[in-house]
Amino acid sequence: MNQEISTRVPNFTVRLSPTPLGARLARLLATERLRTWGLPPDPAALVVAELAANAVVHGRVTGRDFRLTLYAVAGTLRIEVTDTRGDRLPRPALPAPDAEGGRGLLLVEALADRWGTAPGPPPRKTVWAEVSCAPVPRGPGPRGDAPR
């Protein structure tokens, strides 16, 4: 007898405008999605914020959105941000000590277990990061009763 194994993989995808508001919305939506999945928001929300900001600053093409994708498998959250500047690959570098920016990928490198890039159909690229995650234990609800 063959049995079909069905495992639900939590996933979420959204297209956002390549603007500072779009980058902020990426972080907020990711935080809320992780909460609904029972996963901790940190450090994943920070990684999303940095990758989305990079898509807005370095991967922006007027009139073309960027895409945020999240999915969790076997204790690992995969974060993917796809933009339409496949010709501009991210490279972490040490900025000048007095520079106001340029540390985003160093932060991603420090917070993520792994990260990298993948080419997409031209002109796209995806910058991805993987973060270990364990479900957040759920305590009593606001009235003291156990969650259902």
Side-chain angles (χ1 to χ4, degrees):
M1 169 189 234
N2 289 335
Q3 290 186 4
E4 190 173 314
I5 298 174
S6 175
T7 304
R8 186 178 168 278
V9 174
N11 65 80
F12 172 75
T13 299
V14 63
R15 285 178 41 182
L16 299 159
S17 65
T19 63
L21 182 59
R24 180 173 184 268
L25 188 55
R27 180 182 53 82
L28 293 171
L29 290 170
T31 299
E32 179 59 21
R33 183 58 51 168
L34 293 171
R35 187 192 66 74
T36 62
W37 290 345
L39 299 176
D42 292 322
L46 294 172
V47 172
V48 168
E50 292 302 331
L51 295 182
N54 283 351
V56 168
V57 172
H58 304 292
R60 180 182 181 157
V61 174
T62 302
R64 294 184 183 167
D65 295 340
F66 74 93
R67 183 178 68 222
L68 168 67
T69 301
L70 306 172
Y71 55 94
V73 178
T76 298
L77 175 70
R78 177 135 171 150
I79 301 160
E80 297 179 351
V81 174
T82 302
D83 65 43
T84 54
R85 289 297 305 262
D87 59 322
R88 299 183 86 182
L89 296 178
R91 291 183 186 90
L94 289 174
D98 59 344
E100 291 186 21
R103 294 171 182 82
L105 285 177
L106 296 174
L107 185 60
V108 169
E109 204 165 66
L111 295 173
D113 298 317
R114 303 180 331 135
W115 77 276
T117 62
R124 294 173 193 85
K125 74 168 175 301
T126 297
V127 182
W128 57 268
E130 293 179 348
V131 177
S132 295
C133 60
V136 176
R138 297 191 185 230
R143 293 178 296 157
D145 45 339
R148 298 176 194 227

